[in-house]
Amino acid sequence: MQQTTLHTFHLPVMGLAFSIDSPLKVAQYGISSVLSLSDDALLEQMREYYSGIYQKPFVPISPKEEDYRASRVTAYLDLLDAVVKEQIAQIKEEQFEPGTKLTKYFTLLPDSSPVRGLYLQMLEEEDPALKQELQRTLRDAIVPGGIDVNIMTKLDRINYGTNGEPLPQEFSDALSAFRGFARSTVQSAVVFSAGMNMRLFSYIEQFPEFIPDNDGNISKKIIIKVSDYRSALVQGKIMAKKGLWVSEFRIESGLNCGGHAFATDGFLLGPILEEFKQNREALQVELYSLFCSALASKGTHVPRTVPTIRITVQGGIGTGEEHEFLMKHYDVHATGWGTPFLLVPEATTVDEDTLQKLSKAGAGDLFLSPISPLGVPFNSLRGTSSEELKNLRIEKGKPGSPCAKKHLVSNSDYTKEPLCTASRQYQRRKLEELAAQGLSQDDYKAEEARVLVKECLCEGLANTALLVAGINKKASSKAVAICPGPNLAFFSGVFTLQQMVDHIYGRFNALNQTYRPHMFINELKMYVEYWQNKKAEQLDTLTPKQQKYLQSFWLELRKGISYYKQLAPIIFIGDLEKEVMFMDELLEAEDQLIASKLEHHTAI
């Protein structure tokens, strides 16, 4: 397995395309990033594009080939791996001079890094022989960032053969993507997100790359993105009982993040991190016991030492102070920064039109939308070209999108093969059904709006890469959807990689002049609003089960607020003004909750 990265942050997966080639941009500087494996067609298009850029042979992988999805994933990852290795070799040949990538590698490192300290020592060294020895040591210390991959576990469509019959389960989307990663040359990690998929989790056991060797090394690692401690414990135990080790739990804020927002049941990020901090050793011991038993029962070598579990956190982090506090107080190994990097062309891929919209976006331009066909709230930007195309189709009386990729198909109301709720085929049938129900005009309009709001994310989240690379000239390929988190409102303009990394490490300020509350406050406000909206939606027809859920949610928010009251002096040591503002905002949120408390008698 590659050495541990020297950085204390990573780039999470962003859409289908925004981080699709991030490893080619940032891995050479030791920065890990995550790309999505959901769209094999996009991976194939990007492989052809970059094979040309880097003068590599390209043999197309046709959809007519038996295992083309897995083969496309493997081929693209192998290309990334080969290019990153070449980039690292070239960097090591460069001189320690201003402007070289070699110099940039070390100036990007955090101040706390011993390697950066060694670099600064080398700059000051006047003895030529000692200076050369230090430079040799520094070159040896260079390691690439991880070429990590993401699989949304619930996006696991069954695929069909040319005869119309379903293919065996190993040809489903998620299993094919996983197999492609397992067969690739990259030695990195797969990030599982969006919950559990037992079929996929069981499938992993077939691949020795995920089982420790005689020295206890695991060549490919498992990361699970979780929203709370219970989820980590449950999924970690499932894996351990199969002889699989989860190398990292990646905690993400339920609402203060980009993309799909999987809200917790009122659990706030601070208390969640506290629970991980208090239970980390117990978690490691429990999982290790199950892990060893499973390996022993299979006759596999059992590691003598407990493998490490990294704990990282992402979602809404916006300042070097927040990054530092999370690292020190909760003892996390790294933080994830997604949305701000959408403004860094050196790190992500965003077409010029969308980049300009992002760079000027304020809080009013960012919203938690219902546009996802998956039925999960989705963080969006107003006025995207994808939204414009959707509205144009509605105006022309042809709502819905042609559904070519079918990654988000989920509805089987009208057909044997599931349909996507953003597709033209589904929306036409649904609207016909509504028209036949004899609804009042107001009720029909409300139901119609729920149908028409859905947007094609398969195309929208992939098209930006095609535009930047100049790959596809079709009008439909120019419609871009993008999914920044609300944190974007505090960043304006376009930044260099050096500027954004320096911002994370407290050496530069990339924030705009908009007042920005602490990340914990921002998340709390979102959860209070989310709870109030849930209550308003359900109040007229409230069942005992819904009432119990709303009350439990409310109590968890109150517990979270109490926790933050105790934490405030620790967060803002020596800065009474910031502590007072934090407490004022905390009490304001608490007042809102108390004022809108759910009364028992409202249940029916």
Side-chain angles (χ1 to χ4, degrees):
M1 183 70 191
Q2 66 179 47
Q3 292 169 258
T4 306
T5 177
L6 300 176
H7 282 279
T8 55
F9 76 94
H10 60 263
L11 272 62
V13 65
M14 286 176 261
L16 296 173
F18 308 112
S19 60
I20 192 76
D21 51 0
S22 290
L24 294 177
K25 299 181 175 186
V26 302
Q28 61 189 313
Y29 299 116
I31 300 169
S32 295
S33 60
V34 187
L35 65 112
S36 171
L37 298 185
S38 293
D39 190 340
D40 62 273
L42 178 63
L43 296 176
E44 182 72 351
Q45 287 171 304
M46 297 309 288
R47 182 171 71 92
E48 181 176 10
Y49 173 72
Y50 279 112
S51 293
I53 296 288
Y54 291 102
Q55 299 180 323
K56 303 290 184 185
F58 173 78
V59 179
I61 298 170
S62 165
K64 294 178 181 177
E65 294 183 30
E66 183 183 11
D67 198 17
Y68 74 91
R69 285 182 183 81
S71 298
R72 285 175 165 182
V73 168
T74 302
Y76 184 62
L77 293 178
D78 285 354
L79 174 67
L80 297 185
D81 191 41
V83 172
V84 169
K85 284 173 179 171
E86 288 176 6
Q87 289 173 334
I88 293 293
Q90 288 167 5
I91 285 175
K92 288 184 176 183
E93 294 296 318
E94 292 183 350
Q95 298 303 310
F96 284 92
E97 295 171 355
T100 64
K101 288 184 176 182
L102 180 64
T103 293
K104 187 173 181 177
Y105 186 99
F106 295 101
T107 58
L108 285 169
L109 293 177
D111 294 346
S112 58
S113 166
V115 175
R116 183 183 172 92
L118 203 63
Y119 170 73
L120 295 176
Q121 181 185 336
M122 180 276 295
L123 292 180
E124 297 295 321
E125 182 57 59
E126 295 181 358
D127 184 299
L130 286 176
K131 194 179 189 80
Q132 198 166 21
E133 183 58 35
L134 285 170
Q135 290 183 353
R136 191 158 40 245
T137 303
L138 288 168
R139 286 190 170 92
D140 289 341
I142 291 176
V143 290
I147 305 172
D148 297 329
V149 303
N150 172 251
I151 295 177
M152 278 187 74
T153 57
K154 297 293 171 65
L155 295 187
D156 196 17
R157 168 189 57 162
I158 292 292
N159 290 298
Y160 291 78
T162 52
N163 59 0
E165 293 299 313
L167 293 170
Q169 68 173 25
E170 62 264 29
F171 293 101
S172 70
D173 279 4
L175 272 65
S176 294
F178 179 80
R179 182 168 60 256
F181 169 69
R183 291 175 177 171
S184 71
T185 57
V186 296
Q187 289 196 319
S188 57
V190 57
V191 182
F192 292 127
S193 62
M196 291 183 283
N197 178 336
M198 298 309 295
R199 179 173 66 186
L200 173 60
F201 289 178
S202 296
Y203 187 58
I204 303 171
E205 294 179 73
Q206 298 182 23
F207 296 89
E209 296 86 356
F210 295 85
I211 307 296
D213 61 19
N214 290 339
D215 297 322
N217 296 317
I218 305 171
S219 67
K220 301 202 180 195
K221 300 197 174 183
I222 296 168
I223 296 173
I224 298 183
K225 189 156 68 168
V226 296
S227 55
D228 57 38
Y229 179 78
R230 182 180 172 277
S231 176
L233 179 61
V234 169
Q235 294 189 71
K237 286 167 75 172
I238 288 170
M239 291 292 187
K241 287 175 182 177
K242 298 177 185 297
L244 301 168
W245 188 254
V246 178
S247 296
E248 177 181 330
F249 289 109
R250 191 161 283 188
I251 307 159
E252 183 171 72
S253 168
L255 292 179
N256 196 9
C257 60
H260 287 95
F262 296 90
T264 66
D265 293 343
F267 305 116
L268 298 173
L269 192 59
I272 290 168
L273 288 167
E274 185 68 39
E275 191 170 7
F276 272 92
K277 180 181 178 180
Q278 299 299 331
N279 294 291
R280 181 184 300 188
E281 288 184 23
L283 173 69
Q284 202 157 348
V285 169
E286 184 171 2
L287 296 186
Y288 180 64
S289 174
L290 296 170
F291 177 62
C292 291
S293 296
L295 292 177
S297 69
K298 293 180 176 184
T300 304
H301 176 79
V302 178
R304 291 179 185 172
T305 55
V306 184
T308 57
I309 297 178
R310 280 167 56 88
I311 305 294
T312 63
V313 59
Q314 60 195 42
I317 308 166
T319 67
E321 289 87 354
E322 289 173 355
H323 167 80
E324 190 75 9
F325 178 77
L326 293 168
M327 294 281 296
K328 288 185 175 178
H329 185 74
Y330 295 110
D331 199 25
V332 300
H333 294 86
T335 64
W337 290 63
T339 291
F341 275 100
L342 290 171
L343 300 173
V344 183
E346 283 181 78
T348 57
T349 294
V350 182
D351 62 280
E352 187 59 31
D353 177 60
T354 308
L355 182 61
Q356 290 308 312
K357 287 175 181 173
L358 288 173
S359 69
K360 296 168 185 171
D365 302 307
L366 305 161
F367 69 117
L368 196 57
S369 78
I371 70 171
S372 172
L374 295 179
V376 178
F378 188 73
N379 278 302
S380 301
L381 173 72
R382 297 188 197 278
T384 62
S385 50
S386 181
E387 183 185 352
E388 290 168 5
L389 179 61
K390 175 183 71 177
N391 293 335
L392 182 64
R393 285 170 171 160
I394 294 170
E395 287 170 21
K396 289 184 174 181
K398 293 183 178 180
S401 307
C403 192
K405 294 183 176 179
K406 303 182 188 297
H407 296 307
L408 302 182
V409 295
S410 62
N411 186 284
S412 300
D413 289 351
Y414 309 111
T415 52
K416 179 183 172 184
E417 267 192 62
L419 298 175
C420 175
T421 56
S423 70
R424 187 166 294 166
Q425 190 179 1
Y426 171 82
Q427 293 193 1
R428 186 178 68 247
R429 298 222 185 165
K430 185 65 177 177
L431 292 175
E432 287 170 357
E433 182 184 276
L434 290 174
Q437 288 177 2
L439 301 170
S440 69
Q441 188 172 0
D442 286 349
D443 286 347
Y444 177 80
K445 284 293 180 188
E447 291 299 323
E448 180 190 49
R450 289 191 185 96
V451 175
L452 298 181
V453 74
K454 301 303 179 187
E455 209 164 290
C456 176
L457 299 184
C458 292
E459 299 287 352
L461 293 177
N463 284 340
T464 196
L466 306 183
L467 286 169
V468 171
I471 289 174
N472 206 327
K473 306 297 182 184
K474 289 193 302 183
S476 63
S477 69
K478 295 180 180 178
V480 173
I482 197 161
C483 47
N487 207 26
L488 181 73
F490 308 108
F491 295 85
S492 299
V494 178
F495 300 93
T496 65
L497 181 63
Q498 187 81 52
Q499 286 173 328
M500 192 56 73
V501 173
D502 284 349
H503 175 79
I504 293 170
Y505 294 143
R507 304 185 294 236
F508 177 80
N509 180 26
L511 294 178
N512 57 29
Q513 297 303 305
T514 307
Y515 170 68
R516 181 183 179 280
H518 190 274
M519 61 178 288
F520 288 159
I521 296 292
N522 282 329
E523 187 200 51
L524 172 61
K525 287 179 177 178
M526 290 172 205
Y527 268 100
V528 171
E529 184 180 352
Y530 183 87
W531 183 85
Q532 290 173 329
N533 290 339
K534 278 287 179 189
K535 177 189 167 187
E537 284 171 18
Q538 299 175 354
L539 201 56
D540 293 339
T541 57
L542 198 65
T543 65
K545 183 179 179 181
Q546 289 170 329
Q547 175 165 300
K548 185 179 179 183
Y549 167 78
L550 287 172
Q551 286 175 334
S552 173
F553 199 115
W554 187 88
L555 285 170
E556 289 300 336
L557 291 181
R558 290 294 307 277
K559 284 182 193 174
I561 290 170
S562 296
Y563 171 82
Y564 286 145
K565 286 177 182 177
Q566 302 297 317
L567 190 68
I570 302 170
I571 299 176
F572 303 104
I573 291 175
D575 196 330
L576 186 60
E577 185 180 350
K578 283 187 178 179
E579 183 185 336
V580 168
M581 290 178 73
F582 181 90
M583 287 298 295
D584 284 348
E585 290 164 332
L586 207 54
L587 294 171
E588 184 182 342
E590 186 174 45
D591 288 344
Q592 287 178 7
L593 267 181
I594 292 170
S596 56
K597 183 179 180 181
L598 190 70
E599 299 300 331
H600 286 271
H601 66 266
T602 55
I604 59 171

